[in-house]
Amino acid sequence: MTRPTRAAAHSPAPRPDTAETWPAPVARGPVRGDVRLPGSKSLTNRHLVLAALADGPCVLHGVLESRDTALMRTALTALGARFEPLSDGGLRVHPMPVGEPLAGDVAVDCGLAGTVMRFVPFVAALRPGRVRFDGDAGARLRPMAPVLDALRQLGVAVVEEGEPGRLPFTMTTRADAAPVAPDGDVPEVAVDASGSSQFLSAALLAAAGMPRGLRLRHTGEAVPSPEHVAMTVGVLRALEVDVTETGPGAWTVAPGRVPAHEAAVEPDLSNAGPFLAAAVATGGSVTVPDWPTRTTQIGDRWRRILPQFGASVALTVDRTDRSRGRLTVTGAVHDDGTPRITGAGEIADTAELAPTAAALALLASGPTRLTGIGHLRGHETDRLAALTAEAARLGITVDEGETALGFPGTDASGPLSPAALETYHDHRMATFAAVVGLRVPGTGIVDVATTAKTMPDFPALWTALVAPGDAAEETR
Ligand SMILES: O=C(O)C1=C[C@@H](OP(=O)(O)O)[C@@H](O)[C@H](O)C1
Ligand SMILES: C=C(OP(=O)(O)O)C(=O)O
């Protein structure tokens, strides 16, 4: 059987007939305003999993409604959890019957969600039965081998239907498999998480439902996006799950179900990126309210990244609730008031923030190098190839290395030329294009609806912030 390859998936042409091209709003001057962001995808999907594993009903506030979180809810429903929307906007979660056999075979659609394809198989292993996993065409290209290896180490049978170590696959958990059997030693799993931090987060989250707990060890090179593992450990601990880091890359999760709880999801600080970048790109000023003063979200790094492009950043802590504040980013301007975006030099390990940083790097006057991002080749698309290809449409040659991207800066390359930018079913390629479009009239975004993966309201929120007159016209 012929399977799509990464190269084929990323070739810039042909364009899909069905995907419409959205004219990216152009900033007519400095962008100014407040943007209230929906909940974090990463925190929402962790909380949905942990509420589904709890020992009683839970209530979640601020959950994100998006494609990735809908897929997670559908998957957990198929595994026996129940979700009940509350009149105040909260979500009551009735947990799944952990340990009880499934009533019949289950099919899980992962879409293109890394959190679904990596987290849910471990959750499925908590109920004896058979579960098949598949997803979008692009999902079949994303690495899954460490998940499948780990399941096998736990005594779960896994049959791949296509390429080894990829979706689709079917897993069969017997009643005597380690994740469900109450007796025996503490199960041990070794995972090579050098391709994605999600392999570790997945095992840690489900361990909270394992009757004997789990010992987990990372083997292999450095874990990319370690912030996301810290987020997992942070959420588990906040919910009273006993997780101990027993050494570098090694954790023990003690047995014991997650207690029934109530929890609130923080706003999505990664998706704050394009909105804050709008201030940098236009010499304007953008504020995000409810910015958590202590957080495990990688998006908190915008506070350090954006000043590298010349912006200033201020977090004003709320006097009545010191756990949050208002984050304001103000872009630099030249003496004549036009935006001044300096090259950032080197920025390492930007992980999922890289596409937005790349948009600013294209608009900046001087050079920027994004390093330590090789694992982004296994994201929604090969983001290094995609960013290089879309920069080429804009007339800019990016220096694409295996794990880094080098941007020349407009002093060396000259200005960007408008183009209809491809998004490769990748929400962050769409928001990348939106940031570029602020300063390059004529930029189009093919399939802007792909932002629904983590932010269905992106086109409306973006238009309201950067071209408020147009937003008013649209609603008239
Ligand atoms: O656990 C999570 O919620 C995530 C982990 C990261 O994955 P990788 O470690 O594969 O980069 C991140 O990029 C992704 O957007 C979300
Ligand atoms: C890599 C990402 O998503 P996923 O959770 O699908 O891995 C992302 O949102 O940038």
Side-chain angles (χ1 to χ4, degrees):
M1 190 171 69
T2 327
R3 300 201 143 267
T5 61
R6 279 278 169 195
H10 302 133
S11 77
R15 298 179 190 279
D17 292 339
T18 49
E20 282 182 21
T21 299
W22 191 60
V26 179
R28 297 189 186 119
V31 167
R32 300 188 197 282
D34 283 23
V35 186
R36 196 168 287 280
L37 292 162
S40 147
K41 166 211 48 176
S42 291
L43 285 169
T44 296
N45 277 357
R46 280 165 175 74
H47 277 292
L48 290 174
V49 166
L50 291 173
L53 298 182
D55 65 7
C58 301
V59 175
L60 303 178
H61 302 279
V63 295
L64 171 68
E65 305 274 356
S66 76
R67 184 176 187 223
D68 278 15
T69 62
L71 287 163
M72 180 62 90
R73 277 165 65 162
T74 304
L76 295 172
T77 303
L79 293 172
R82 207 158 50 77
F83 298 93
E84 184 194 343
L86 301 175
S87 55
D88 66 355
L91 183 68
R92 180 169 290 124
V93 185
H94 301 272
M96 56 189 253
V98 171
E100 281 180 29
L102 292 166
D105 288 358
V106 166
V108 172
D109 176 11
C110 302
L112 192 49
T115 50
V116 179
M117 71 181 84
R118 276 74 180 255
F119 296 177
V120 179
F122 287 91
V123 178
L126 300 175
R127 294 196 66 186
R130 198 157 56 164
V131 186
R132 181 176 187 271
F133 288 82
D134 201 355
D136 296 357
R140 291 183 170 196
L141 304 171
R142 299 190 70 177
M144 285 295 292
V147 171
L148 309 186
D149 272 6
L151 291 173
R152 289 182 175 122
Q153 290 171 52
L154 290 166
V156 175
V158 181
V159 178
E160 290 115 309
E161 290 170 30
E163 272 183 39
R166 296 274 191 270
L167 291 168
F169 65 88
T170 297
M171 55 180 280
T172 307
T173 306
R174 291 178 9 175
D176 60 354
V180 272
D183 308 317
D185 296 334
V186 179
E188 289 194 37
V189 167
V191 176
D192 179 352
S194 53
S196 170
S197 62
Q198 290 174 346
F199 302 138
L200 294 172
S201 290
L204 288 167
L205 290 168
M210 295 187 194
R212 288 178 275 146
L214 184 71
R215 285 204 189 107
L216 176 67
R217 191 162 48 82
H218 162 61
T219 59
E221 301 292 307
V223 180
S225 198
E227 293 86 348
H228 280 96
V229 181
M231 173 189 277
T232 303
V233 171
V235 173
L236 285 165
R237 287 190 179 144
L239 300 181
E240 298 173 36
V241 177
D242 183 357
V243 192
T244 313
E245 191 161 357
T246 50
W251 296 265
T252 300
V253 181
R257 295 282 291 276
V258 185
H261 57 268
E262 191 161 348
V265 173
E266 296 170 0
D268 193 322
L269 307 189
S270 293
N271 270 339
F275 296 92
L276 299 173
V280 186
T282 64
S285 186
V286 171
T287 296
V288 174
D290 297 332
W291 193 276
T293 46
R294 290 187 62 173
T295 179
T296 52
Q297 287 192 67
I298 190 169
D300 197 41
R301 283 183 55 197
W302 290 125
R303 296 203 278 152
R304 281 181 280 143
I305 292 172
L306 297 178
Q308 287 190 248
F309 290 102
S312 54
V313 175
L315 178 62
T316 315
V317 179
D318 190 327
R319 285 211 192 132
T320 52
D321 176 359
R322 300 194 67 76
S323 70
R324 59 192 180 175
R326 288 169 61 78
L327 187 84
T328 299
V329 170
T330 306
V333 288
H334 292 286
D335 289 343
D336 65 358
T338 55
R340 185 170 64 82
I341 316 169
T342 54
E346 183 179 335
I347 320 181
D349 305 322
T350 43
E352 68 181 18
L353 310 182
T356 299
L360 287 178
L362 281 172
L363 298 173
S365 54
T368 301
R369 227 179 136 65
L370 303 179
T371 59
I373 52 171
H375 74 291
L376 269 65
R377 294 188 185 278
H379 277 183
E380 283 82 338
T381 185
D382 174 341
R383 287 178 170 163
L384 283 78
L387 289 166
T388 304
E390 297 320 292
R393 284 191 213 279
L394 296 160
I396 307 297
T397 304
V398 168
D399 174 17
E400 181 187 354
E402 199 40 43
T403 62
L405 292 176
F407 299 84
T410 53
D411 285 351
S413 71
L416 283 63
S417 320
L421 298 178
E422 198 62 66
T423 53
Y424 310 85
H425 306 290
D426 184 349
H427 54 144
R428 300 201 200 278
M429 287 304 295
T431 53
F432 154 87
V435 174
V436 169
L438 291 171
R439 296 288 307 280
V440 186
T443 300
I445 307 179
V446 176
D447 189 17
V448 72
T450 199
T451 50
K453 186 174 191 289
T454 57
M455 206 181 188
D457 287 341
F458 176 78
L461 283 172
W462 188 254
T463 307
L465 177 72
V466 309
D470 296 357
E473 262 164 43
E474 272 172 28
T475 54
R476 218 174 278 155

